[in-house]
Amino acid sequence: MTVHASRRAVLAQGLVLLALAAAGSAPALAADAHSYAEPERVRITAIALDLDADFRRRTLSGTAELTLDWRDPEATELVLDSRELAIARVEARDGRGRWRRVGHALAPADPVLGSRLAIATGLPQPSAVRIRYSTAPTASGLQWLGPEQTLGREAPFMFSQSQAIHARSWVPLQDTPAVRFTYTAQLRVPRGLLALMSARNPQEVSRDGRYRFEMAQAIPSYLMAIAAGRLAFQALDDRSGVYAEPERLADAVAEFADTPRMIEVTESLYGPYRWDRYDLLILPPSFPYGGMENPLLSFITPTVIAGDRSLVALIAHELAHSWSGNLVTNANWDEFWLNEGFTSYVENRIVEALYGSARADMEFVLDIRSLRRDFRELPVETDLQRLTPRLAGRDPDAIYTTTAYTKGAWFLRFLELRVGRDALDAWLRDWFDRRAFTSVDTATFRADLEANLLAGHPGAVTGDELDAWLREPGIPAFAPEVEAAAFAAIDGEREAFLSGERAADALSWSRWGTQERLYFLNGLPQALTPAQLGTLDNAFDITGTRNSEVAFAWFQVGIRNGYPAIRPALERFLVEVGRRKFVVPLYRSLMARPEDRAFAREAFARARAGYHPITTASVEEVLGAAPAED
Ligand code: BES
Ligand code: ZN
C-alpha cells in the first residue's frame, strides 16, 4: 500500500517534471549551425556601440563593448562571429574596471559564415571586452547609397539588413538568435542626416550629427538595425509614425494610416504590444526585402505604396513579428517557420479584422497557390519543403523560400479549424506571454502545444498529423482547403477570355482590386498568343501599372511569352527595384529563355550599382556570373 502510494507519488512527480520540461523550463536548444559562438560557455548580455559613419569611405568604425555572462567557469576564450571586419585592437575589463589589451585571432573567412573571431580573455574571466574595428565598404549587411540613388538626390543614405547572418558584418558579436542582449549606441553621421536604429529613436535631425540610442529590451543579433539619411518624421498617432524621405512622406503616411488600428487589433488578439513605439522607416527601393521587423522600427520597401492600401498586409506582417519573432524567437535558422509561419498566420488575422474575411481569404489563397507552384519546382532532396529543414553548410539567404511562411501559416489554420479559433487564440496569447524574450525550437513548440492546447482537445489532432506537418516534405493530404468566394467569378472570366468568348475590354479588371488582378494573372496558362497579351494590355495598360505586385505578375506572363511591349517598363523596374522577391524570379525567367539572356545581363549591368549586396549576390547566382572583384 505505502509502497504503491510512494510509487505513485514518484510517478506523479515524474509527470510533473515532464510537464515542466514540456512547458519549456529552458530545455537545451539545438546548436546554431550558422554561428561560431559558444553560448553554453559565455553570453553577451549587453552591447555598447560607439561608431562613426563615414559616407565617403563607406565604413562604420569605432568600438563595440560587449558585457559578458560567463557560463563555463573554465572558459578562457570568447568566440565571436565577424565578416570582413578589420579588427584594430581588443581589450578586456578586469574586476577593478581597468582595461588591458588581450590577444585575438581572426580565422580565414568561410564563404557562408565569415570569420571566426577568437578573443583570448584568459582567467579570471573579464566582465566585458571592447573591440576597436571598422566595417568593409562591401559589408554584406549594409548598403551605402549615393545621393543620386535617393528620391531627393541631395544626400547619401545608409541602412542595414542584419537578418539572417549579416549583423556580423557591422558588429563583432554572437550572431545567433539563441542569444539576446540589450544595447546602447553613440553614432556620428554627417550633419543634416537623421540616424535611426532598432531602438528608441529621435524624431528630429540633430545639430551636430550625433545621436544616442538605447534598446532596453533584450533582442537577438538579427534585430540590430541602423539607418541614416535625409529623413523626416510624421506621426500616425501617439505611438506610431512614419520616417521617409521628405518627398515620399505624405504618400507613405496616407498608405499606412491604418497602422494604429493594426496595433490595437493585434493587442486585442494576442496581448499587449511590448515595445513601446511602433514606427515605420520607408527605405529606398533598393531595400532587398518587402519589410524587416526591426523592433520599434520596421524597415519597409516603398514598393508597397500602391496608392490604395492594397499591399498593407506587409505592415500587418512586420507588426505581427513584434509578437512572433521579436518576443518569441526561432532558436536558429532551421527553425525559421516559428518566426515566419506564426507571423504569416497573425498577419492574415490582422487583415481579416481590418479589411474583412473576403480580403484575408483571397490573400491566403494566393499564398497557397504560390506555395503549390513552388513545391512543383523545389526538389524534395533540398529539404526545403519541410518546415524544419537542415540548413547546415548552406547560406540562409540562398534558401529563402515560401515554405516557412505559407506552410507554417497553413498549419496554424489547420489547428484553428481542429480546436476552434478561440482555443487557438488563447493558446497563442499564452505562448507569446510565457515565452516572451526567449528563443524556441520546434521540439519546444510541439511539447508546449501538446501540453497546453491539444491535451484539452483530445482526439482533435493526431500525432501522425503533427508529424506530417512538422517533419514531412510537401503539403499534407489532409490540409484544409482554403477558398475565396470572389475568385470563382474570376476563373469564369479568365476562361471566357481564353476561349475567345469574351473580349479583353469586357473583363471586369477595372472593378477588381489588387488581389483579384493577381489571381487573374497568376491563373493564366503558360502560353498566350501575342494578340491575347496585346488586347489585355491595350484594354487596361497593365504594363503601365504602378502596383509593384501586379507589375511583377504581368512581367512574368510577358517574359515567358516573349511579349516585347513590357521591355522598357521591365528594365526600369529591374534597375529601380532591388527587392529580391521580385528581382530574382524575374532574372530567372529571363535566363530561362536564351533570347532574353543578353537583356537580363544588360539590365543587371545597369542595375548593379544600385543593388544591395544581398540582392547582387542572389542575382549573380542566377546569371551564373563570377562575383566581381571590388
Ligand atoms: N523577416 C523577414 C525578412 C527576412 C527573412 C530577411 C529572412 C532576411 C532573411 C520579413 O518579416 C518578411 O518576411 N518579409 C516579407 C514580407 C511578406 C511575407 C509580407 C518580404 O520581405 O517580402
Ligand atoms: Zn516575416
Side-chain angles (χ1 to χ4, degrees):
M1 204 50 199
T2 43
V3 175
H4 272 106
S6 68
R7 261 253 200 93
R8 229 195 277 132
V10 170
L11 243 174
Q13 214 172 31
L15 283 176
V16 168
L17 283 176
L18 266 176
L20 272 177
S25 31
L29 296 164
D32 182 349
H34 292 105
S35 171
Y36 289 113
E38 301 169 339
E40 299 319 314
R41 298 211 162 129
V42 56
R43 284 179 199 207
I44 299 173
T45 58
I47 297 184
L49 295 174
D50 187 344
L51 296 172
D52 278 301
D54 183 335
F55 279 78
R56 200 178 45 77
R57 290 171 49 223
R58 303 193 158 187
T59 59
L60 293 175
S61 60
T63 57
E65 186 180 316
L66 315 179
T67 304
L68 302 174
D69 171 22
W70 292 90
R71 305 283 175 107
D72 171 358
E74 250 112 77
T76 57
E77 196 178 61
L78 167 67
V79 179
L80 300 177
D81 296 297
S82 77
R83 191 199 302 280
E84 289 194 280
L85 296 181
I87 309 291
R89 66 145 80 206
V90 183
E91 295 156 294
R93 190 172 64 201
D94 68 20
R96 271 174 288 173
R98 286 179 313 210
W99 292 95
R100 69 188 157 89
R101 190 131 181 202
V102 295
H104 70 271
L106 195 59
D110 174 273
V112 175
L113 301 182
S115 297
R116 181 180 189 273
L117 171 60
I119 296 172
T121 48
L123 292 171
Q125 294 166 330
S127 56
V129 299
R130 185 162 67 196
I131 302 162
R132 176 163 291 283
Y133 72 101
S134 177
T135 63
T138 49
S140 61
L142 299 176
Q143 186 174 18
W144 300 84
L145 296 170
E148 69 290 351
Q149 292 165 301
T150 66
L151 259 191
R153 298 176 167 270
E154 265 178 45
F157 202 106
M158 178 272 289
F159 63 88
S160 67
Q161 170 53 44
S162 297
Q163 195 182 12
I165 55 172
H166 300 288
R168 65 190 66 178
S169 75
W170 63 282
V171 185
L173 41 47
Q174 291 179 307
D175 199 6
T176 168
V179 171
R180 310 178 87 89
F181 49 81
T182 59
Y183 76 82
T184 61
Q186 301 202 53
L187 281 185
R188 281 163 302 281
V189 302
R191 227 169 278 163
L193 297 195
L194 183 62
L196 302 170
M197 293 191 80
S198 50
R200 193 79 218 222
N201 276 305
Q203 294 179 347
E204 271 161 30
V205 176
S206 79
R207 280 181 200 215
D208 56 0
R210 287 169 184 270
Y211 294 90
R212 298 180 68 94
F213 300 89
E214 182 171 6
M215 173 38 119
Q217 284 144 301
I219 58 162
S221 58
Y222 76 91
L223 296 178
M224 289 205 81
I226 183 172
R230 194 175 135 268
L231 289 165
F233 174 80
Q234 190 175 324
L236 293 170
D237 72 351
D238 56 1
R239 67 167 161 177
S240 63
V242 181
Y243 294 91
E245 285 194 67
E247 295 78 5
R248 197 151 19 222
L249 188 58
D251 284 351
V253 165
E255 198 78 16
F256 305 132
D258 291 334
T259 305
R261 276 173 63 220
M262 289 186 175
I263 306 173
E264 282 159 27
V265 154
T266 321
E267 286 189 306
S268 72
L269 287 169
Y270 301 120
Y273 178 76
R274 303 232 206 172
W275 305 87
D276 186 22
R277 291 195 57 85
Y278 182 71
D279 293 315
L280 305 173
L281 168 61
I282 314 306
L283 290 150
S286 68
F287 185 56
Y289 291 97
M292 178 64 214
E293 65 270 26
N294 297 314
L296 284 87
L297 182 68
S298 286
F299 283 22
I300 303 294
T301 174
T303 63
V304 289
I305 304 178
D308 59 2
R309 302 189 190 177
S310 64
L311 302 178
V312 297
L314 181 109
I315 307 298
H317 180 97
E318 304 314 333
L319 171 68
H321 273 304
S322 305
W323 286 260
S324 44
N326 300 5
L327 271 189
V328 185
T329 308
N330 54 206
N332 60 60
W333 301 114
D334 291 4
E335 306 288 341
F336 187 50
W337 84 273
L338 290 166
N339 276 15
E340 299 301 344
F342 276 60
T343 295
S344 300
Y345 176 81
V346 172
E347 164 199 333
N348 199 253
R349 294 291 303 277
I350 299 171
V351 168
E352 181 189 315
L354 260 80
Y355 307 109
S357 56
R359 163 101 166 253
D361 288 344
M362 287 195 283
E363 294 189 353
F364 217 123
V365 170
L366 287 170
D367 286 346
I368 285 178
R369 296 217 142 204
S370 33
L371 182 73
R372 287 195 192 278
R373 254 196 316 275
D374 291 353
F375 276 9
R376 263 180 254 131
E377 281 156 29
L378 204 57
V380 171
E381 314 79 72
T382 59
D383 219 26
L384 300 180
Q385 292 192 13
R386 286 184 215 276
L387 281 185
T388 47
R390 299 220 174 283
L391 305 182
R394 292 188 273 181
D395 180 349
D397 287 340
I399 49 183
Y400 174 77
T401 69
T402 47
T403 307
Y405 292 78
T406 305
K407 188 173 172 182
W410 202 354
F411 169 48
L412 292 180
R413 179 125 169 174
F414 158 83
L415 290 176
E416 176 193 325
L417 292 172
R418 290 296 181 85
V419 301
R421 176 170 273 199
D422 290 347
L424 180 67
D425 282 350
W427 177 78
L428 278 170
R429 197 180 310 120
D430 207 41
W431 162 260
F432 294 137
D433 192 42
R434 277 185 286 113
R435 308 284 172 169
F437 300 103
T438 70
S439 302
V440 294
D441 58 17
T442 301
T444 314
F445 156 78
R446 185 169 174 159
D448 192 300
L449 185 84
E450 286 175 334
N452 297 312
L453 177 61
L454 300 180
H457 297 264
V461 179
T462 69
D464 284 350
E465 287 172 327
L466 288 181
D467 283 343
W469 282 107
L470 296 173
R471 296 177 196 246
E472 300 301 322
I475 297 158
F478 54 88
E481 238 1 279
V482 181
E483 272 156 23
F487 284 167
I490 294 176
D491 285 329
E493 293 214 28
R494 196 194 302 105
E495 271 160 41
F497 168 68
L498 291 169
S499 69
E501 209 175 290
R502 191 184 280 220
D505 55 15
L507 293 170
S508 312
W509 179 273
S510 309
R511 283 193 298 281
W512 292 337
T514 295
Q515 285 68 33
E516 285 105 325
R517 291 177 180 184
L518 292 173
Y519 184 77
F520 177 85
L521 293 175
N522 292 340
L524 288 171
Q526 283 296 307
L528 292 169
T529 65
Q532 286 170 323
L533 289 161
T535 54
L536 275 176
D537 210 7
N538 285 339
F540 310 116
D541 187 20
I542 310 181
T543 298
T545 179
R546 283 188 46 229
N547 185 301
S548 61
E549 293 282 352
V550 172
F552 170 71
W554 176 243
F555 290 154
Q556 289 287 43
V557 174
I559 293 170
R560 67 173 190 257
N561 286 287
Y563 176 56
I566 56 168
R567 281 294 184 92
L570 173 59
E571 184 174 0
R572 245 179 284 126
F573 189 89
L574 289 172
V575 170
E576 192 187 299
V577 176
R579 188 174 169 190
R580 289 174 76 222
K581 176 185 127 170
F582 292 147
V583 162
V584 173
L586 288 172
Y587 280 109
R588 207 174 277 135
S589 305
L590 287 166
M591 292 306 281
R593 294 167 46 90
E595 61 272 45
D596 282 341
R597 287 184 192 151
F599 171 81
R601 294 215 171 86
E602 280 159 27
F604 179 56
R606 285 197 52 211
R608 200 200 146 116
Y611 281 169
H612 187 283
I614 296 175
T615 302
T616 304
S618 3
V619 175
E620 269 170 350
E621 208 176 291
V622 172
L623 299 191
E629 307 291 27
D630 59 355

